[in-house]
Amino acid sequence: MRLPRQHEQRQACRPTDPGRQASPARPRRGGPRSLTAAALAAAFLSSGAAPALAQHAQPAPTAPGAGAPTRVHQAALPSSTVEKAISAAESKKGTPYGWGGTGPDSFDCSGLVQWSFAQAGVDLPRIAHDQVREGTRVSYSDARRGDILYWADGGGYAYHVAIYLGGGRMIDAPKSGDQVRERDVNRYNLAGAVRL
């Protein structure tokens, strides 16, 4: 059986634990089956258990809009900052993929995104799924140069990220045995983009 190309990225970014990418600097919090407050509230409501308790389990809205993820920046990054991040990523073309790699000598997908934006003065979390919560989500058709593209599984967990270069091209650290490189956007399981 031939697997789709994106399967390789999933294996590279989520090799053994479907809940998290490598994060040597942070302790693991929760697991792939941990429930959110909203899921707990739904479970209470569907089981007929105390509606008042379920109502209190709803997460509080976050700025800038109700239910929106917390943003690193309140306005889109200036183009000069975006270009610095892209230049940093491009300077690492040919650097080998390394699971859990945060640079400068090896990178995994989220390590490259984090390192590149750090060179432009933007602080991002380490994990792909956490990175896509840092900005405003946009569809791929609305993506701009410098947006973070992300791929997600059926449950919405972001397992791969890349920096969009425009014109259907991106730069990323794709998988084990590969290297940081520019390539066409692979639209298989592409969930969208995040604008910082």
Side-chain angles (χ1 to χ4, degrees):
M1 177 173 106
R2 186 165 184 213
L3 296 173
R5 281 181 27 180
Q6 195 67 22
H7 175 77
E8 295 171 340
Q9 291 179 352
R10 177 180 294 210
Q11 293 302 332
C13 291
R14 296 175 63 194
T16 57
D17 181 0
R20 300 305 254 173
Q21 272 188 318
S23 182
R26 293 185 183 175
R28 184 174 172 169
R29 294 178 299 235
R33 300 205 184 269
S34 62
L35 296 175
T36 64
L40 287 172
F44 277 118
L45 289 174
S46 66
S47 69
L53 178 60
Q55 187 177 25
H56 291 293
Q58 295 293 329
T62 56
T70 304
R71 291 191 46 147
V72 174
H73 305 280
Q74 294 302 314
L77 292 175
S79 61
S80 60
T81 301
V82 167
E83 291 305 319
K84 283 179 189 173
I86 290 172
S87 291
E90 289 177 335
S91 76
K92 290 302 178 179
K93 285 181 186 175
T95 303
Y97 176 94
W99 186 72
T102 57
D105 300 322
S106 71
F107 294 97
D108 67 9
C109 63
S110 57
L112 176 66
V113 170
Q114 181 189 44
W115 182 88
S116 299
F117 278 93
Q119 305 315 299
V122 179
D123 184 33
L124 290 175
R126 169 68 187 95
I127 306 299
H129 187 71
D130 294 338
Q131 288 176 354
V132 303
R133 298 164 126 184
E134 292 297 312
T136 302
R137 291 185 186 194
V138 297
S139 68
Y140 173 67
S141 61
D142 292 328
R144 290 189 224 157
R145 184 170 167 85
D147 287 351
I148 298 173
L149 300 180
Y150 71 100
W151 289 257
D153 62 20
Y157 188 86
Y159 60 83
H160 185 71
V161 288
I163 300 172
Y164 187 55
L165 301 175
R169 302 285 289 169
M170 66 182 192
I171 187 166
D172 69 341
K175 63 186 185 300
S176 295
D178 210 332
Q179 59 194 7
V180 173
R181 62 189 170 103
E182 182 181 322
R183 59 192 181 124
D184 288 334
V185 173
N186 180 348
R187 302 208 30 207
Y188 180 78
N189 282 349
L190 176 63
V194 173
R195 183 158 305 134
L196 299 176

